[in-house]
Amino acid sequence: MDLQIKGKRVLVTASSRGIGFSVAKAFLSEGAIVTISSSSKINLDKAKEKLSSIGRVYSFVADMRDVDQVKSLIKDAEASMGGLDVLCYVTGSPKPGNISTLSDDDWRDAFNLLLLNAVVAVRESAKLMKDGGRIVLSTSMTLREPLPNLDLSNVVRLSLAGLVKSASNELAEKGILVNAVLPGWTMTERVSQLVKDRAQREFKNEDEVLRDITSQIPLKRIASPEEVANVFLFLASSMSTYITGQLITVDGGFVKGIF
């Protein structure tokens, strides 16, 4: 099946590893031109070396907490690829913690990372896109079901729902579709860190924590990054031309709420 991805010019942020890397790889495998980014040049160079064997890829160092760097990244990506058709906004995750323990600076960093720069990325990318453009934001299932000791995600990510709805309404007249992917438990370094953190807090070993997590997932396993990446690919493809303003949870059934 032709997803009509070939030749699309795609920016995937925070893509040197984890979900972002898998998203970039998926688009390259379908013939897209891709720009990747990371705050770490070492990680970025390693990722580019791996991805270059698949297709045409550009790379730029950018900290997704820094507004000016986000703006520069979008400008540089568009110039390198000769246009911008798809933005996949992926970020790192804020630190674990709860309202009692997190500092004011922790909240400011989370606001910049998860919301402010997402707004900037949507706004600046939309200026460069034509009819048929796609914006896909990566957030988290915590938007729908808060998790213990992840209060930065629980609180700040909720704002992304408003951003998706507002931006999709505003950009519809330009033919730009805006959606979000809400990954659940996915086998990334971030999840490994969360498992270690929980094991220490609950005086358990990591295998016990993993068994407890998977027992709460109806599919009884943690997702691979590639399974999440497939949803990004779908939302940028010819199969999703009437989908906008939606938040798609990819969690194996973990979230119990209906909406």
Side-chain angles (χ1 to χ4, degrees):
M1 182 179 294
D2 182 8
L3 299 177
Q4 296 182 25
I5 295 295
K6 186 175 182 179
K8 294 288 186 182
R9 296 155 299 186
V10 183
L11 169 59
V12 186
T13 64
S15 41
S16 66
R17 55 189 180 184
I19 289 173
F21 179 86
S22 293
V23 171
K25 184 177 179 181
F27 276 98
L28 285 168
S29 297
E30 291 292 328
I33 304 164
V34 176
T35 294
I36 61 173
S37 77
S38 172
S39 60
S40 165
K41 188 177 187 307
I42 293 175
N43 290 341
L44 188 63
D45 289 344
K46 289 179 181 178
K48 185 177 181 181
E49 183 178 0
K50 294 176 183 177
L51 295 172
S52 292
S53 63
I54 304 173
R56 183 174 159 195
V57 57
Y58 299 92
S59 63
F60 296 96
V61 175
D63 186 340
M64 302 313 293
R65 290 178 173 84
D66 188 301
V67 169
D68 290 334
Q69 291 189 40
V70 171
K71 291 179 180 178
S72 294
L73 170 62
I74 293 168
K75 181 180 177 181
D76 292 341
E78 191 266 349
S80 297
M81 296 187 292
L84 182 62
D85 301 304
V86 180
L87 167 69
C88 296
Y89 185 82
V90 183
T91 68
S93 299
K95 65 189 291 186
N98 55 50
I99 291 172
S100 299
T101 61
L102 293 164
S103 70
D104 292 349
D105 285 340
D106 292 333
W107 285 97
R108 291 189 190 96
D109 284 346
F111 169 78
N112 288 338
L113 177 68
L114 301 178
L115 179 58
L116 177 59
N117 284 330
V119 173
V120 170
V122 169
R123 183 186 68 214
E124 298 304 312
S125 295
K127 293 176 183 177
L128 304 173
M129 289 181 176
K130 298 179 180 178
D131 186 6
R134 307 294 176 88
I135 296 173
V136 186
L137 304 174
S138 178
T139 176
S140 168
M141 67 177 176
T142 58
L143 189 153
R144 288 200 163 121
E145 185 158 329
L147 293 178
N149 210 49
L150 291 181
D151 285 3
L152 293 176
S153 284
N154 295 341
V155 175
V156 183
R157 288 191 192 275
L158 192 60
S159 304
L160 269 294
L163 174 58
V164 168
K165 285 296 185 182
S166 298
S168 63
N169 288 338
E170 179 179 338
L171 297 176
E173 64 183 28
K174 291 185 63 177
I176 298 172
L177 309 184
V178 184
N179 294 288
V181 176
L182 284 58
W185 291 104
T186 307
M187 194 52 70
T188 61
E189 291 183 20
R190 163 69 169 176
V191 166
S192 296
Q193 292 170 352
L194 291 177
V195 168
K196 289 179 182 179
D197 175 71
R198 179 174 163 184
Q200 292 173 354
R201 287 187 292 108
E202 298 181 0
F203 304 102
K204 296 178 179 178
N205 64 51
E206 293 175 25
D207 287 340
E208 287 180 292
V209 173
L210 279 172
R211 283 195 297 271
D212 182 58
I213 290 171
T214 54
S215 71
Q216 299 175 58
I217 302 171
L219 290 183
K220 303 302 179 189
R221 63 180 179 84
I222 290 176
S224 70
E226 291 77 13
E227 288 176 302
V228 178
N230 286 339
V231 183
F232 282 83
L233 202 62
F234 166 73
L235 289 172
S237 76
S238 58
M239 302 296 290
S240 62
T241 54
Y242 202 61
I243 299 174
T244 194
Q246 301 306 306
L247 302 116
I248 300 178
T249 309
V250 187
D251 67 344
F254 179 89
V255 173
K256 303 304 185 289
I258 295 174
F259 298 108

